[in-house]
Structure formats: C-alpha cells, structure tokens
Amino acid sequence: MAQSTAPFSRFEWMIAWRYLRARKAEGGVSTMTWISLIGITLAVAALIITLAVRTGFRDEFVDTILGANAHVTVYSQTYVTETGATARTIPDFQAWADRIATVPGVTRAAPLIKGQVMANKVQTNVGVEVFGIAYEDLLTIPRVAEPEAAVGDIRNFNDGIAIGSGVAQALGVTVGDKIKIISPNGVKTAFGTSPRVNAYDVTYIFTAGRWDIDRTRVYLPFAEAQSFFNREGVADEIEVMVADPEGIDKLLMPIMQTASPLATVWTWRDRSGAFLRALDMEDNVMFIILSILVLIASMNIISGLIMLVKNKGRDIGILRTMGLTEGSVLRVFFLCGSMTGLVGTIAGVALGCLFAVYIDQIFSLVNYLSGGGVWDPSIRGIYRLPAKLELWDVVSAVSLSLSLSFIVTIFPARRAARMNPVEALRYE
C-alpha cells in the first residue's frame, strides 16, 4: 500500500521542475509553457496599466476641477428690488461671505462677478468667461496661483488682467500686451444699450491643466469687474472652498442656513457628477473585460498541462508503481501549472508597473512615431495621459491572476492523478 507523504515535499518540487524543463524532443510542452507564461504576463500587465491609467485619469480630472473651480457656489434666489425689478445678485455679499466662512469645514468664501464676453486682439476674437475676484482670493485658487506653468507675476494682478494660456495662444498675446474685453451689455443710452469695450494689460498667464479652463478663463480685479459688468455694490455669487470636497454634501445645509434664507447652492458634483459616474461605469466594464483576458491567458495553462500529462504518461505509471500516491501526482502537476501562473504574474506586475511609471516617456515616443496629435486635449480635457499606481489595484490584479491560474490547474492535475498505472504502461 502506498504511503502518504507530506504535501509539497521536496521531491514533488524536484519532479515538477524537471517536467517544466522539457527536453528538445518534447519541445511542444515547452512551447505551450512559454505561450502560457507570455499570455499571463501580458494580461496582468494590461490589467495593471488600465487600472493605473483609470486611477490617474480620474484623480487628474477631479484635481483640475477642484483646483480651479469652486467646491460650492452660493447664489441668491430671485427677489424683487425696490424699483420693482427682479434680480439674483447679492447686495450684502461681504456679509454672506463672512458668515459662510464661519461654517466648520469651509476654508474660503469669496464674492465673485461672472460674465461671458469677447476678448479681442487686432483681428482675432475669442469667447471667454470673466471672473471678477479679489487678489487675496485669487491666491487661494491652487491651479491659478500655483499652476503647471505660468508667465508673468500674479502679484501684478491688480494692474491688469490674468488669462489662461489657451486664451493667450488663441489671441497671440503675451505678458505686457493689451487685449480688449467687449461686452454687449454695456452703457445704456437714449438710443439703447451700446457695447462696452475696455482694454487691459496682460499681467499673468497661467496653465491650470484643463483645456477648457485654459481656453476660456479670464480673471479681472473684483472692483474692475463690478464696474465693467454694471454690478456696482453687488456680487453675482459666492465661491466657497472646503477642506473635504468629497464630503461636500454634509456642508450644504449649514452653508445655506448660515448665508441667508435666499441662498441656494450648486456643488462641483452637480457640475461634473454625470461625467464621473460615466467614468466609474467605464472602469467597472474595463475591469470585467480585462479579467476575462486574464482568464483566457490562464486557460492556456490547461493546454500545456494536458500535453505534459500525455507526454509523461509512462513516467506517471512508473512513479505510481514505485509507491507515489495520487495526491503526490496531483501536487506535482499542480506545481507545474501554478509555477507558470506565478512567474507570469510576477513578470506581468513588473511590466505593468514599469509601463505606468514611465508612461509619459512611452507616450511621448508613441506621439513622436505617429507624427503627433495622438492625444487631443480639446476632447480629453487634460493635456496628458496620467497613470497612478495604487497598491490595491496591483493586489487585485495579482489576486485575480493567481486565483485563476491555480483553479484552472486543478483539472488537468486531477486527470494525471487518476491515471491508471497499468493502462499507462500497457503499451510501453
């Protein structure tokens, strides 16, 4: 009667290693092993790269939203003025801002003037959105005060106008040049409303990192914006920044209650929530698709092991007659398959992590070889393809690959263990 041995004994590892190092005469087995190894490597690498790009894209997108826009915008509901007209401006804007700033979790509350106008330089016109803001409040906007790139000095903001790099490129201007701001809602005269045109020196050009912001955003000093847009003594809204933008929902009621009974709010989630939900859905679908890719790569292990079992039938019969148990045979072939999955997973993790770390250089090379234009920021919103490695993403990819590799290995290993030694040696 065969005597049982300790699981995964040294001789089992030795036999499995010898089987994986197939002789030239059994080159088919070695070829299938290499195919399985390469397949798992590429599948795991693709999964890690996709997860890293997904995480990096979402973080970059959210960071540019939170770094250049209000986390919460506070408006006034429509009310009737003393003259009988309706309005939504905020007359006591500074009082609103001071009260909102006292709410725990709020880091800044700044009055704002907003308007859409035409920017002009010689024969070039560009539609822009003007933000009238105080200099000290402008300094608290991360993507403007500390942008990816800047020309000029933000300390000269009160002497002119600050514009996005996309606006500057479209108009062909740089720091020190003058541009005209044209508003159709200008001076009211007996013959109607005439457009208002003012010229300003460009004192600061910033690159916030979002194409739509850099292409349309212009900042004016608050008092100048009040005068230009006929908003003397009022503000259009209060721009609010908070310490925890992800937890903005719990601050909405305190902000409205503290500001005024007429206050209403609009959050960054309201502005971009649909896009972020679409990203989350796409992330889940991509993970499922790539998981299937890993499964397909793991299935190659079955083909390799079936060929190995067929080629090693005589060896199995001899080992069984010498006293090797079914459990030992199962473990030998399980080690053959699982080692392929393990090595392929390790290689895939290394390849995927290296790709994610050097994605900028790789992408630059691809862009150069293709003649440029691979990444269109006007469509993507951001200027580059970001990647961010997260430990959980790597762990999930490794767990998935190893689990599938171990599971698919069991079936051919059981077939080898149940092989009848008499049948295996009958024709030898």
Side-chain angles (χ1 to χ4, degrees):
M1 184 176 180
Q3 185 177 2
S4 61
T5 58
F8 300 105
S9 299
R10 182 178 179 182
F11 76 91
E12 295 174 356
W13 285 91
M14 180 187 68
I15 295 173
W17 176 243
R18 287 178 63 87
Y19 282 176
L20 284 176
R21 295 183 300 154
R23 297 191 301 270
K24 291 183 179 180
E26 300 164 347
V29 176
S30 179
T31 301
M32 289 303 300
T33 301
W34 277 107
I35 291 174
S36 303
L37 184 67
I38 294 173
I40 293 174
T41 298
L42 295 179
V44 172
L47 181 57
I48 290 177
I49 293 168
T50 301
L51 294 176
V53 170
R54 175 202 70 178
T55 303
F57 185 86
R58 191 183 192 282
D59 286 358
E60 179 74 10
F61 186 83
V62 172
D63 186 61
T64 53
I65 292 174
L66 301 180
N69 295 290
H71 302 161
V72 183
T73 303
V74 181
Y75 301 94
S76 173
Q77 299 178 22
T78 303
Y79 62 91
V80 180
T81 65
E82 295 179 354
T83 61
T86 59
R88 291 195 64 182
T89 56
I90 307 174
D92 50 345
F93 57 86
Q94 194 58 55
W96 280 39
D98 292 341
R99 288 196 296 267
I100 293 171
T102 63
V103 175
V106 173
T107 58
R108 176 175 70 84
L112 209 66
I113 301 292
K114 285 180 69 174
Q116 295 180 345
V117 299
M118 187 77 72
N120 167 266
K121 176 66 175 178
V122 192
Q123 299 296 323
T124 305
N125 298 298
V126 176
V128 297
E129 188 172 23
V130 174
F131 285 64
I133 191 171
Y135 168 69
E136 57 272 15
D137 293 324
L138 182 67
L139 293 179
T140 63
I141 303 177
R143 288 276 177 165
V144 177
E146 299 176 2
E148 293 184 358
V151 179
D153 193 340
I154 195 172
R155 290 175 294 184
N156 298 325
F157 171 64
N158 287 327
D159 299 329
I161 191 172
I163 63 176
S165 57
V167 177
Q169 183 179 11
L171 293 176
V173 298
T174 187
V175 171
D177 294 338
K178 282 186 179 291
I179 64 173
K180 294 179 182 178
I181 299 296
I182 306 169
S183 172
N185 301 319
V187 180
K188 293 182 180 180
T189 67
F191 301 99
T193 302
S194 62
R196 171 165 291 181
V197 182
N198 281 3
Y200 299 98
D201 292 325
V202 176
T203 58
Y204 184 63
I205 300 174
F206 59 88
T207 300
R210 276 284 298 277
W211 185 88
D212 54 340
I213 293 176
D214 296 334
R215 186 65 177 74
T216 61
R217 186 71 58 90
V218 167
Y219 287 96
L220 269 179
F222 184 76
E224 181 61 34
Q226 282 182 310
S227 173
F228 185 83
F229 289 105
N230 297 322
R231 300 286 199 278
E232 286 82 358
V234 300
D236 289 323
E237 59 192 50
I238 307 295
E239 184 179 77
V240 180
M241 298 290 191
V242 301
D244 181 21
E246 296 288 346
I248 191 61
D249 293 338
K250 61 185 178 183
L251 292 177
L252 297 184
M253 286 305 297
I255 288 174
M256 287 191 294
Q257 293 171 353
T258 302
S260 169
L262 291 175
T264 184
V265 297
W266 180 262
T267 71
W268 71 274
R269 289 187 183 278
D270 297 327
R271 182 186 301 109
S272 305
F275 182 78
L276 293 176
R277 287 191 295 271
L279 277 182
D280 292 337
M281 182 179 296
E282 183 183 12
D283 292 344
N284 296 332
V285 172
M286 288 300 298
F287 184 83
I288 293 173
I289 292 174
L290 289 171
S291 297
I292 295 174
L293 180 62
V294 176
L295 174 60
I296 294 172
S298 301
M299 295 293 287
N300 288 329
I301 296 177
I302 294 181
S303 303
L305 279 184
I306 290 175
M307 292 183 62
L308 182 62
V309 171
K310 182 178 179 180
N311 289 343
K312 299 298 182 181
R314 178 175 175 273
D315 293 2
I316 295 172
I318 294 173
L319 291 172
R320 289 296 309 281
T321 57
M322 293 175 61
L324 201 67
T325 64
E326 287 188 7
S328 291
V329 175
L330 186 147
R331 288 190 291 271
V332 166
F333 287 94
F334 176 81
L335 287 173
C336 290
S338 59
M339 279 195 287
T340 302
L342 178 62
V343 174
T345 300
I346 294 173
V349 170
L351 180 61
C353 291
L354 285 173
F355 192 100
V357 170
Y358 294 101
I359 191 169
D360 288 337
Q361 292 85 340
I362 295 172
F363 192 77
S364 297
L365 177 62
V366 172
N367 195 53
Y368 172 77
L369 295 177
S370 62
V374 173
W375 185 268
D376 188 352
S378 64
I379 298 175
R380 315 296 182 182
I382 54 180
Y383 294 105
R384 63 184 185 89
L385 180 64
K388 181 180 180 181
L389 280 172
E390 294 283 355
L391 179 61
W392 173 248
D393 290 339
V394 177
V395 170
S396 62
V398 171
S399 301
L400 177 66
S401 176
L402 292 182
S403 299
L404 293 176
S405 299
F406 293 166
I407 290 172
V408 301
T409 299
I410 294 174
F411 302 103
R414 288 185 62 193
R415 177 183 175 183
R418 294 182 177 183
M419 182 178 293
N420 190 326
V422 176
E423 295 294 329
L425 295 173
R426 173 173 293 183
Y427 301 105
E428 296 296 333

